[in-house]
Amino acid sequence: MQLLFDSVTADYQLGPIRSPRVLRSIDMNLKSGSFTAVIGHTGSGKSSLLKAMNGLLIPTDGQIKIGDTVIKAGKNKRSLKKIRKQVGMVFQFPESQLFAETVEQDICFGPLNFGVPLIKAKKMARDVLIQVGLDPIILTKSPFSLSGGQKRRVAIAGILAMQPEVLVLDEPGAGLDPAGKKEILSLIASWHHEKKLTTVLVTHDMDDVATYADDVIIMNEGQIVMHGDKRSIFSEEKELKKWHVDVPDARRFQLRIEQETGVILPQVCLTVEELAEALIEVNLA
Amino acid sequence: MNKLILGRYFPGDSWLHRLDPRAKLLAGVYFIFVLFLANNWETYLVLGLFTFAVMRLSDVKFGIYLRGVRPLIWLILFTVFLQILFTAGGEIYLDWGPITISEFGLINGVYIFCRFVMIIFISTVITLTTKPIDLTDAINILLRPLQKLRIPVDELSLMLSISLRFIPNLLDETQKVMDAQRARGTEFGEGSLFRQMKTLVPIFLPLFVSSLNRAEDMANAMEVRGYQSGEKRSIFRQLYWRRRDTLSLFIMILLTTLLIWLRTEGGIGH
């Protein structure tokens, strides 16, 4: 499903106080089936961008087109419900949204809200729970009795069970140990490929960007300052430095090697494997 | 949620901002008692002018005070209507079974309205010009004598300041959880009352859980740093009683004398 932003401007209204614009005339086109990483430092508008994709932040100007549904200023009640069914959103620390008595009920909450029959929702709950790597035994347990990592998986399962066509994630690996984080991200990546989703991932870890994403969006002060294929984005170190964005470890290592040896490697390397191959190719290793 | 003005602090440097919180608190509570001395239009006028003067002194725009009254306006109007409908005496304009609209009823209604609005204005003045933490310190000091009655004043004021401290966090978190459940297809403010109540469970439960967790973390953090209840403790933010504080209480006494002098014996109708 395609996501199209057409000069979208938005702010939060808190009673009498209007926040400065959190999104400023954003134009963006995310192709169906793409995996995009959004980076930028705190307060750059990443989370607001995600919220706009789910109709939680309504543009004051411009319009958002998701599939063939349009959100713009004013009332869009019916389209909002449709969009929220199509766009699954995993918030930061999603485990804080767990509330039901059993894991099964919690996972079924989303599908039931969108009118999926109970039997089908229950079957779905069981399937996604296995998919996220948990034992179906815990379906009858209380979500509050689980460990932190398990809770995170249950919360993500609750979103996947809605069978969204677009998956939007705000730092799904935050606060997990490296192994747990890697598992969750590879789970999302395989789900992305299997279900042919359009995925948007906010992250701070450039190595995650290098490993999982295809495209990169860099945000600064509510605007998209760079948007493109990850390899071309990570080849522009100077531009990246301007926005205080790091490059993946492998790329940094590559730059250092090129600087020390004077040999320019044939391609921009984003992972250790790519770097190793490139080094062998030019006979440096 | 963000519209509540009562209980908010507006930073500033007015005469009222600089007043000792103890003086403000004492004067504010005293004012509410003094309000009941008023029983004719002269006394209400004096109190009204006094309230207005205090509001001007606070350097906060008048509109903000009006916004503070807005959430309570239905409660006020309801009370006023009860007064108007069920007070008898004086000339009767409308008689309809047990319900009469009389002269005294109307006058009383207007008085009650003024009284409510003035109480709200004055308490808003206090909270707008005093940091919550200063206010709890002041409450703590003013309630000290109750310690003789074995009332745990220090603990109570600690509880008060901790809860005030976490109100913004709780509001933030409420917003977050609401967004998260909305993304899972909950619609708030729709359907029957019962359905609306059901949509609150997915919000309150996570909030309760996180509040309890936070309380436990907080208690542990305090204990780790050696907090013991019932210990004698000095105050970090010293409060200083200055001449203007005495002056403010003196003004209150003047106001009282004036009111007693202007007051009519026996109330309205005499």
Side-chain angles (χ1 to χ4, degrees):
Chain A
M1 188 165 280
Q2 192 189 25
L3 276 80
L4 201 67
F5 276 51
D6 184 10
S7 59
V8 171
T9 298
D11 51 27
Y12 294 102
Q13 179 136 31
L14 297 173
I17 307 143
R18 215 167 233 276
S19 69
R21 289 183 195 152
V22 290
L23 296 180
R24 296 195 285 166
S25 55
I26 289 200
D27 285 306
M28 154 179 106
N29 181 3
L30 300 184
K31 281 189 232 54
S32 187
S34 60
F35 196 130
T36 312
V38 181
I39 49 189
H41 46 121
T42 6
S44 59
K46 297 177 304 251
S47 302
S48 305
L49 188 74
L50 295 201
K51 280 187 185 170
M53 291 176 190
N54 202 344
L56 291 168
L57 181 64
I58 308 285
T60 49
D61 239 330
Q63 63 170 26
I64 301 168
K65 206 168 161 202
I66 294 166
D68 42 14
T69 323
V70 173
I71 319 177
K72 53 183 168 195
K75 296 245 179 216
N76 332 264
K77 243 185 190 159
R78 192 167 296 156
S79 43
L80 282 185
K81 185 115 185 177
K82 194 172 162 205
I83 279 173
R84 285 178 191 154
K85 183 171 166 25
Q86 290 167 338
V87 182
M89 174 142 182
V90 177
F91 279 82
Q92 214 170 7
F93 300 107
E95 55 272 27
S96 66
Q97 73 195 29
L98 298 174
F99 71 96
E101 272 170 69
T102 64
V103 169
E104 186 176 42
Q105 282 173 19
D106 211 291
I107 298 178
C108 289
F109 179 69
L112 290 178
N113 277 334
F114 290 116
V116 175
L118 184 64
I119 298 173
K120 214 176 151 201
K122 280 191 173 173
K123 190 182 171 299
M124 203 59 217
R126 202 185 162 80
D127 289 349
V128 286
L129 201 68
I130 298 170
Q131 285 268 4
V132 298
L134 292 174
D135 192 332
I137 283 178
I138 67 163
L139 277 174
T140 52
K141 279 195 186 168
S142 159
F144 299 109
S145 67
L146 305 176
S147 76
Q150 285 175 321
K151 278 187 200 164
R152 177 83 48 104
R153 282 157 193 248
V154 169
I156 292 176
I159 305 297
L160 297 182
M162 288 158 37
Q163 297 197 289
E165 291 171 55
V166 179
L167 193 57
V168 172
L169 309 110
D170 194 350
E171 291 198 64
L176 295 182
D177 56 278
K181 183 178 162 188
K182 202 174 163 202
E183 266 179 62
I184 285 208
L185 284 172
S186 26
L187 169 104
I188 289 161
S190 68
W191 192 273
H192 165 83
H193 291 296
E194 201 177 300
K195 306 269 172 183
K196 309 231 173 343
L197 301 181
T198 311
T199 306
V200 182
L201 170 79
V202 165
T203 179
H204 282 293
D205 190 331
M206 295 309 140
D207 290 313
D208 291 346
V209 178
T211 321
Y212 303 105
D214 306 320
D215 295 331
V216 178
I217 286 177
I218 297 177
M219 292 201 68
N220 188 55
E221 292 184 359
Q223 282 176 309
I224 293 183
V225 290
M226 289 174 91
H227 182 185
D229 162 59
K230 66 177 166 189
R231 220 168 286 277
S232 63
I233 294 257
F234 283 129
S235 64
E236 298 181 51
E237 303 87 44
K238 281 207 192 94
E239 189 79 355
L240 289 176
K241 211 164 249 168
K242 200 163 109 198
W243 309 115
H244 306 282
V245 173
D246 269 339
V247 293
D249 286 342
R251 172 68 181 155
R252 194 168 39 237
F253 196 34
Q254 177 190 8
L255 288 171
R256 184 73 196 275
I257 291 173
E258 287 178 352
Q259 198 189 345
E260 296 280 309
T261 61
V263 182
I264 304 294
L265 298 185
Q267 63 156 332
V268 176
C269 305
L270 299 180
T271 59
V272 178
E273 288 76 18
E274 283 174 12
L275 181 62
E277 258 166 49
L279 286 175
I280 292 166
E281 208 176 305
V282 297
N283 290 323
L284 274 175
Chain B
M1 218 178 309
N2 293 294
K3 285 177 189 143
L4 269 184
I5 294 295
L6 200 71
R8 266 256 189 113
Y9 171 65
F10 265 61
D13 193 35
S14 67
W15 193 78
L16 275 173
H17 278 89
R18 275 173 279 142
L19 216 55
D20 190 298
R22 285 170 294 182
K24 275 187 268 192
L25 205 60
L26 279 177
V29 173
Y30 184 73
F31 180 83
I32 291 169
F33 284 108
V34 161
L35 261 180
F36 290 94
L37 282 177
N39 62 0
N40 56 16
W41 69 268
E42 291 99 334
T43 41
Y44 272 101
L45 184 70
V46 168
L47 284 168
L49 286 175
F50 175 80
T51 312
F52 189 67
V54 171
M55 281 156 64
R56 286 301 300 275
L57 265 180
S58 71
D59 268 358
V60 181
K61 280 198 210 90
F62 194 73
I64 288 176
Y65 289 104
L66 286 184
R67 227 178 281 142
V69 176
R70 208 183 289 160
L72 296 168
I73 196 75
W74 292 112
L75 180 75
I76 299 174
L77 288 182
F78 179 69
T79 325
V80 169
F81 271 111
L82 284 187
Q83 275 297 321
I84 292 179
L85 295 183
F86 296 109
T87 312
E91 204 174 314
I92 287 169
Y93 303 119
L94 187 88
D95 196 345
W96 207 51
I99 296 167
T100 52
I101 293 185
S102 68
E103 190 188 348
F104 288 1
L106 277 180
I107 295 175
N108 250 342
V110 173
Y111 284 173
I112 293 260
F113 181 80
C114 294
R115 204 178 284 169
F116 258 115
V117 171
M118 281 193 279
I119 289 178
I120 294 171
F121 278 166
I122 287 292
S123 26
T124 314
V125 165
I126 295 176
T127 51
L128 282 180
T129 60
T130 321
K131 287 192 199 107
I133 205 86
D134 282 341
L135 215 52
T136 44
D137 279 351
I139 291 172
N140 185 6
I141 294 168
L142 290 175
L143 292 183
R144 277 272 157 81
L146 291 180
Q147 265 172 342
K148 295 247 157 52
L149 300 172
R150 300 211 168 197
I151 292 171
V153 174
D154 281 335
E155 278 72 33
L156 287 177
S157 71
L158 179 74
M159 275 162 61
L160 192 61
S161 50
I162 290 177
S163 26
L164 283 173
R165 157 69 186 78
F166 280 106
I167 287 174
N169 294 49
L170 208 60
L171 285 179
D172 267 5
E173 216 162 301
T174 313
Q175 190 62 49
K176 250 187 226 153
V177 175
M178 273 175 83
D179 274 350
Q181 307 300 22
R182 231 184 244 144
R184 293 213 277 168
T186 321
E187 279 166 273
F188 299 109
E190 275 200 5
S192 64
L193 193 66
F194 180 69
R195 248 188 78 182
Q196 288 197 33
M197 269 157 57
K198 254 176 79 179
T199 61
L200 292 181
V201 178
I203 298 176
F204 282 119
L205 231 113
L207 284 180
F208 271 126
V209 172
S210 72
S211 300
L212 287 176
N213 285 337
R214 187 179 299 135
E216 202 179 334
D217 287 349
M218 177 95 185
N220 283 336
M222 282 168 72
E223 229 165 296
V224 162
R225 290 200 261 172
Y227 180 86
Q228 287 271 305
S229 67
E231 212 92 332
K232 200 155 173 58
R233 211 167 260 109
S234 57
I235 295 177
F236 175 55
R237 290 168 298 271
Q238 288 288 338
L239 298 176
Y240 296 102
W241 190 272
R242 295 209 168 78
R243 201 150 0 113
R244 54 169 176 262
D245 302 310
T246 320
L247 180 69
S248 67
L249 293 189
F250 186 67
I251 294 173
M252 293 312 288
I253 292 171
L254 268 183
L255 181 73
T256 320
T257 336
L258 188 62
L259 285 176
I260 290 174
W261 183 61
L262 283 174
R263 200 175 131 82
T264 33
E265 284 305 315
I268 33 169
H270 292 269

